[in-house]
Amino acid sequence: MRWSPKHFDGYAHRPVLYQEIIDAIRPVSGGLYVDATLGAGGHAWGILQASTPDGRLLGLDVDPEAIRLARERLRPFGDRAILVQASYTTLKDQLRRLGWEAVDGIVLDLGMSSMQVENPEKGFSFRQDAPLDMRYDPSNVVRAADLVNNLSEEELAHLIYTFGEERQARRIAHLIVQERPIRTTRQLAEVVVRAKGGGAKRMSAVHSGAPRQIHPATQTFQALRIAVNRELEALEQALPQAVDGLKTGGRLAVISFHSLEDRIVKRFFHRESRDCICPPSQPVCTCHHRALLSLVTRKALRPSPEELAQNPRSRSARLRVAVKL
């Protein structure tokens, strides 16, 4: 079923690369599927609809609010939708609990949903003042404020540079330490703008919605969010579990939103699609590695111009798909 706006009436969240995910996973009646980053259930809705009448789906998310919204959205599918508040790092255990030895398709959409960005209590956005939180899982004991106010200047600079790919990380970290304590998103955003040589005029241009304006604090906020939720570590743990959990011919589709995530997915897919992973200079194979995957997408798929027009936030999305051998 092709995407239509009527499918999401009443929901703020529009799933990124919706039709591309359905085409990649190829849901069929009787199939078993996993949406390991459930969000508000947009991709899950499409998979369940396409696998009517008896396809089943396991949805995972660490955010209890996401589970609540997805449960409401997916209610028409009854017990075909099994929703669990849990991290995708527990995928292997979740499949074992259900008695699912292997599934036909797995989706990982690594981006934040609109509902998370726009929820001031989460503290993900610099466009509204909120406590510096940034946790997907409210039971996580580490908040962004803990990192901002407790790490050393050197540790902060390393975090911002590594996870945010921010060239001015040292200047930002230095000013953060000088201005501590910093408790809100707006405080932090203003400090970053000052550190990067901005000011009221630059902040005004960003907040006015001027085209192609990227907020100066975007990379710093990204770095903190990744660190708080240990996103890259979680992804590296989840990818092998996803491959193990697929049937032969099962498909894995991963949407990433920044180069750090995409690099991990790309390298994993390429490594697991090769029979030998020994160094090229080594004349004889000693690794005994055998390919587990075949690449469906040689290059990452990008949102269409139509989707970009409807949802500008999708501009950084990259989709990679592989099938298990």
Side-chain angles (χ1 to χ4, degrees):
M1 176 178 290
R2 307 298 294 185
W3 179 87
S4 167
K6 69 179 182 179
H7 296 161
F8 305 105
D9 285 348
Y11 297 96
H13 176 60
R14 298 293 188 268
V16 172
L17 293 165
Y18 171 83
Q19 189 59 48
E20 288 82 353
I21 283 291
I22 303 305
D23 293 342
I25 296 298
R26 299 180 177 179
V28 296
S29 176
L32 297 176
Y33 304 95
V34 179
D35 187 339
T37 47
L38 185 64
H43 290 126
W45 189 98
I47 293 170
L48 286 164
Q49 180 67 31
S51 62
T52 299
D54 57 356
R56 302 180 72 192
L57 178 135
L58 168 65
L60 304 177
D61 205 294
V62 295
D63 187 341
E65 180 65 10
I67 294 292
R68 186 189 68 79
L69 290 173
R71 182 167 286 119
E72 179 183 344
R73 173 181 274 183
L74 302 177
R75 193 180 306 279
F77 298 104
D79 60 7
R80 292 177 55 207
I82 303 164
L83 309 186
V84 180
Q85 184 186 341
S87 168
Y88 53 66
T89 60
T90 68
L91 177 58
K92 183 176 180 180
D93 291 337
Q94 301 300 333
L95 293 178
R96 184 186 299 117
R97 288 191 185 101
L98 289 176
W100 292 7
E101 293 184 3
V103 301
D104 298 279
I106 298 174
V107 175
L108 287 169
D109 177 356
L110 304 174
M112 289 186 295
S113 68
S114 298
M115 65 177 184
Q116 290 170 323
V117 174
E118 294 165 2
N119 183 349
E121 295 179 4
K122 294 287 188 182
F124 286 117
S125 175
F126 32 67
R127 296 192 182 276
Q128 47 194 339
D129 204 19
L132 267 178
D133 194 317
M134 300 194 190
R135 295 173 298 168
Y136 293 136
D137 181 355
S139 69
N140 183 353
V141 296
V142 177
R143 297 172 171 83
D146 299 321
L147 302 180
V148 166
N149 292 297
N150 296 327
L151 292 181
S152 69
E153 182 177 327
E154 182 178 353
E155 289 170 327
L156 266 176
H158 178 73
L159 184 155
I160 295 168
Y161 179 79
T162 303
F163 294 150
E165 300 179 295
E166 170 59 77
R167 293 183 179 181
Q168 299 187 56
R170 290 191 179 278
R171 292 177 61 183
I172 293 168
H174 180 70
L175 192 56
I176 285 174
V177 170
Q178 285 189 327
E179 296 292 325
R180 295 196 296 207
I182 298 172
R183 302 298 183 190
T184 72
T185 55
R186 186 158 295 165
Q187 280 181 284
L188 178 60
E190 290 172 352
V191 168
V192 175
V193 169
R194 285 164 49 205
K196 295 183 74 169
K201 184 177 180 180
R202 188 172 185 180
M203 288 290 282
S204 176
V206 172
H207 287 297
S208 70
R212 297 186 179 276
Q213 286 285 347
I214 298 176
H215 195 290
T218 296
Q219 290 162 284
T220 298
F221 272 63
Q222 171 187 296
L224 289 167
R225 191 201 76 228
I226 289 173
V228 166
N229 297 288
R230 304 177 70 177
E231 293 179 25
L232 303 185
E233 179 182 336
L235 179 58
E236 289 177 332
Q237 291 177 23
L239 288 171
Q241 293 184 54
V243 174
D244 288 345
L246 287 171
K247 298 177 181 177
T248 299
R251 289 177 162 235
L252 172 60
V254 185
I255 301 175
S256 58
F257 285 82
H258 55 77
S259 60
L260 298 174
E261 291 173 338
D262 186 55
R263 194 175 301 137
I264 290 172
V265 177
K266 180 180 179 180
R267 289 176 176 172
F268 178 82
F269 275 18
H270 278 271
R271 182 178 71 248
E272 296 306 327
S273 64
R274 296 168 53 193
D275 275 338
C276 174
I277 56 174
C278 292
S281 59
Q282 186 169 311
V284 178
C285 175
T286 57
C287 69
H288 307 297
H289 184 268
R290 291 295 175 263
L292 295 173
L293 299 174
S294 176
L295 301 182
V296 175
T297 53
R298 293 288 170 181
K299 293 184 177 180
L301 300 180
R302 307 279 294 275
S304 66
E306 293 76 16
E307 179 168 1
L308 289 172
Q310 293 173 351
N311 180 13
R313 285 177 176 167
S314 69
R315 65 184 179 275
S316 58
R318 306 287 184 274
L319 171 62
R320 296 185 185 274
V321 185
V323 59
K324 185 169 182 179
L325 298 175

